[in-house]
Amino acid sequence: MKKILLIVMVVFTAQLTLAQVKTIKGLVTDSKGMPLPAANVVVKGESNGTSTNFDGGFSIEAKTGATLVISYLGYETKSVVVGESATINVQMTESGSTALSEVVVTSLGIKKSKKSLTYSAQELKSEELVRAKDPNLMNTVAGKIAGVAVTKSAGGSGGSTKVTIRGNSSTTNNNPLYVVDGVPMLNISSIQPNDSFGSTQGGNRDGGDVVSLLNPDDYEGMTVLKGASATALYGSQGARGVVLLTSKKAKEGVSSFRVSSNTTVETAAYLPKFQTSYIAKPGADESWGAAQATHDHTRDFFETGVTQISSFGFSTGSTNSATNISYANTSANGVLPTNSLSKNNFNVRQMGKFFGDKLTVNANVSYTSQYVTNRPTSGLYFNPLTGLYLMPRGNDFEYYKNNFEKFDPSRNMMVQNWMTDRDIEQNPYWGLKRNESKDGNQFFNGSAGLNYKVNNWLSIGSRYNYDRVTSEFNKEIYATTQGTLSHPNGRYINITDVSSQNYADLIATINTNINPDITFFANVGTSFTKTSINDETVLDSDPSGLGIANWFTLHNFNSNTGNYQNYGYRREQQSVFAATTFGYKNMLYLDITGRNDWSSTLANTGNVSFFYPSAGVTALLSEMITMPESISFGKVRASFAQVGNDVPAFYTSPTSNYSAANPQNINPTVGPRPGTNLKPESQDSYELGTEWRFVNNKFGIELTYYNNKTKDQLLTIPAPATNAEGYQNYAYNGGVIKNSGIEVLLNAKIIDNDKFKWDATVNYSKNNNEVSGLPEELGGTVILTQPGVNSYRYSLINGRPFGVIEGINFKKDAQGRILLNADGSFQKTDFEEVGNANPDFMLGFSNSFKYHNFFLNFTIDGRFGGDVMSLTEAVNDQFGVSKATGDARAAGGVVVNAVYPDGTAYAGKYPAESYYSQVGGRAGISGEYVYNATNVSMRELAFGYTFDLKNVKFLKSANLSLVGRNLFFFYKDAPFDPNISLSTGNGLQGIDVYAAPSTRSIGLNLNVTF
């Protein structure tokens, strides 16, 4: 009886043990140890299941002896029996299709399986950002991402970069949103030019932007979200696309110290061509004198620039913490004499886990300071290039270089030494040394985040981020500077702009299985953004001047007329949002998002709230149906979204504005038109796409079609002088901008073996753009860049693409003959379309070769179609210094097909001086200075060697490479680099007005990891 009782007790105890439910924690990784997010973990024979989080971790309740089934598309399914241990780590084995296992960073910093995306998102890994470094990391993106146009600033090292995603869609702002680790970053510029002539307050200067201040070595990759479906969770901030940057993070159990040194030399490239056969008449400002050989002094002016970027980074990680510390220094001497840059980046990032890994805490602090001396300007004022290019030939430039100033006994001081007194030119060395400018930019970022894992399917996180940007411009202008620019005793300008942004959010994340076939992922949250941009303090001794010559201090100002403070931009936005993804058997995915914003800039409109929905679906055809063996992966997707763009600050709550140019008029610059309520721009966006991979992923193609319609554009018109509100301009909604196009991404592993690898990527994009609905009271036209006295205008015109270049043409008869006046002078048209700044299509071709330890990478960037105008060439022609004017004189004049008013044909050649004095110049016949913008360039190249460190224990990796950027053009029609922009704003596009020449860079890049 005792034996029977003992047996019963043993059996009963065993049953209790087997029935005991416990919490199993684990980690799912690939064959290389990288975590696999969103892998399915289910208890066999039960409905209990979960999905791994972004770090590959999971937690599930199961009985001892139960079987866990772990599955992930693209990997072999694994079964693991639950034993006594409460921890199970699983390493998955790939089943062939890597397209099914790729992970990409998306909105809010959320990692998703790329196969599930219902929209287009293209990634660049960290090596693409640092392989051939540029002080502005966005310049390294050119030619690498379909549908993204990257245009370098004419402001030299540290200058801004114009980035446009899928064409221009707004009359107010077309710059994308930049996001770091899921948090929007304040990317602003203190000033961007929009005047072809040039500002008298320091010239057409680029204030730089925040992206140019970042350290590219701090980031492990970049993702570009192009369409409204991809960016809908960012609301109005993401209406023009989003650029996501993901910071490097320490790996568990790994400590490393990396050192990077990049040194390049820069030379000025693509200068105008000048004549060396004719000089100026005695005492003349222009070079229309006798034939005489002269030296081309322009090329000797430019120096060899040197840029040195040194970066250091330390990271260490353990089970419960991770630390990243980095420092970078950039020093550069530009190709313009006296131009230099110094930049320092500091960054500390810390992560810790507490309470059994339930609570994760992140904190980050970064600071950047940058100082630039004599940043290059464009335009005709405060620009050393005008004096350099236009100096009357026959004068000794070397003499004026060495004697740019001379003593004036009547004033008892050194004064400018130059042979002319034209308002647009000075001695270049006087401009550089006695009109010296200093730009300073400081960027501080501090952030903190908490994430608490409530259970195996729910986590709650909150983040706070603070950005602060301070920009200072200081210019000391000595007495005897050209009178249009300065008081006789000199001028002192000091401008300080301060901007800040507070951002906070609270987000709940749900990641679970509804049943073994259906997965559910959701984010529900709220966010708060408070922005203050360019609060400005201006100290300017003009117009009253300095009391004592060349004493640059506020106490020496004759009056305070030029001293003032203005609010820049105020905006507070409160938001709620939700995003859900349903997955069915890992082959069909449905995305639904919604966001509602309440914006302070819509105050007094009756509706401060606006809602953005989006929906998308993805089907993995290769998982639904049996495909031929040659097809590794097949996917189709479709999405729809609505996004918007709220109005600028103070449009609906007008405030007084002070301007030194008109101190008596402090009326608001703009206010709502009577009888109208301003509302946000609204964009409807459709996107279709498909992706295929073949021959075990050796070849791939991704196709995307998009169609965007942005309506309710914000327009302004001059207000009647007698309006009761006193507004200078009225604002109202009107106009539509349409963008549609296709994007193609091709990639191929052409050769892939142990000794030699060759990977190639081709990206193609074509965007069709049309403006419509502009009111007839505006003549169906909105001018983005006013011409002033110049014959360049940049406009929006009904029925035409965004960004029409307008200029002056010869007036011609039906036979195409130039019409002359009775005195033989040319007849001219009014402003009319002479070009279009938009390319017809863009093409990028990237290649990566590896042979043993040697590697070669290069990117070819092509832009086809579109037009550009050069007022530089026009003014050079007017002054008789261009090669064209020399050739015309040598040929006895210019051949013209022209006719007098009475029908008599013009006989002989038109005198060169008379021709170019009418056709050339800033107010001439600018249609003759329009060029095809098509160009194909070697954008980036790196050739290097990775050292074999098997026998070097203290080194983990090391490589050395020869690098180059903007090396040469395969084809170019324009007389300047058409990939240089004078402004990152909407205006001043497709034009060159004495911009600093683009540079060719060649150097060495060394990377070592300890």
Side-chain angles (χ1 to χ4, degrees), residues 68-121:
L68 298 185
V69 179
I70 300 96
S71 61
Y72 194 84
L73 266 179
Y75 289 79
E76 296 178 359
T77 300
K78 285 203 172 183
S79 298
V80 180
V81 177
V82 177
E84 296 299 323
S85 175
T87 301
I88 295 178
N89 294 328
V90 181
Q91 191 171 63
M92 306 291 281
T93 303
E94 294 182 14
S95 60
S97 180
T98 58
L100 298 173
S101 59
E102 294 175 359
V103 176
V104 65
V105 179
T106 64
S107 293
L108 305 178
I110 299 166
K111 293 180 180 179
K112 284 189 174 183
S113 177
K114 190 174 181 181
K115 61 181 169 57
S116 69
L117 297 184
T118 61
Y119 47 79
S120 175

Side-chain angles (χ1 to χ4, degrees), residues 404-408 411-416 426 430 433-436 474-482 485-493 541-542 544-558:
F404 66 88
E405 58 185 0
K406 61 184 179 181
F407 184 73
D408 182 354
R411 299 198 65 179
N412 192 33
M413 65 180 185
M414 302 298 288
V415 298
Q416 180 175 189
Q426 302 188 92
W430 174 270
K433 296 180 180 181
R434 296 295 179 258
N435 294 171
E436 185 180 75
N474 194 84
K475 195 171 186 70
E476 298 178 351
I477 304 167
Y478 279 68
T480 71
T481 291
Q482 214 288 323
L485 309 177
S486 174
H487 184 273
N489 279 350
R491 182 180 182 183
Y492 178 56
I493 304 170
S541 62
D542 260 21
S544 57
L546 298 174
I548 301 173
N550 302 335
W551 187 17
F552 304 109
T553 176
L554 181 62
H555 179 72
N556 192 36
F557 284 21
N558 285 328

Side-chain angles (χ1 to χ4, degrees), residues 26-29 34-39 41 51-58 90:
L27 179 67
V28 179
T29 63
M34 298 300 293
L36 294 177
V41 182
S51 297
T52 56
N53 60 24
F54 307 134
D55 298 317
F58 70 90
V90 181

Side-chain angles (χ1 to χ4, degrees), residues 293-348:
T294 62
H295 172 67
D296 182 5
H297 60 276
T298 59
R299 295 185 181 277
D300 298 333
F301 174 80
F302 297 99
E303 299 179 345
T304 299
V306 178
T307 299
Q308 171 69 47
I309 305 175
S310 301
S311 176
F312 307 88
F314 170 76
S315 66
T316 183
S318 65
T319 304
N320 297 315
S321 68
T323 302
N324 290 77
I325 302 173
S326 69
Y327 167 74
N329 171 264
T330 303
S331 60
N333 293 312
V335 297
L336 289 180
T338 72
N339 169 231
S340 63
L341 173 145
S342 176
K343 179 171 69 174
N344 291 279
N345 298 80
F346 305 86
N347 180 265
V348 178

Side-chain angles (χ1 to χ4, degrees), residues 288 874 877-878 884-885 888 894 911-921 929:
W288 292 106
D877 280 357
Q878 179 192 25
T885 63
V894 180
E913 182 178 359
S914 178
Y915 179 89
Y916 286 108
S917 64
Q918 298 178 73
V919 175
Y929 297 95

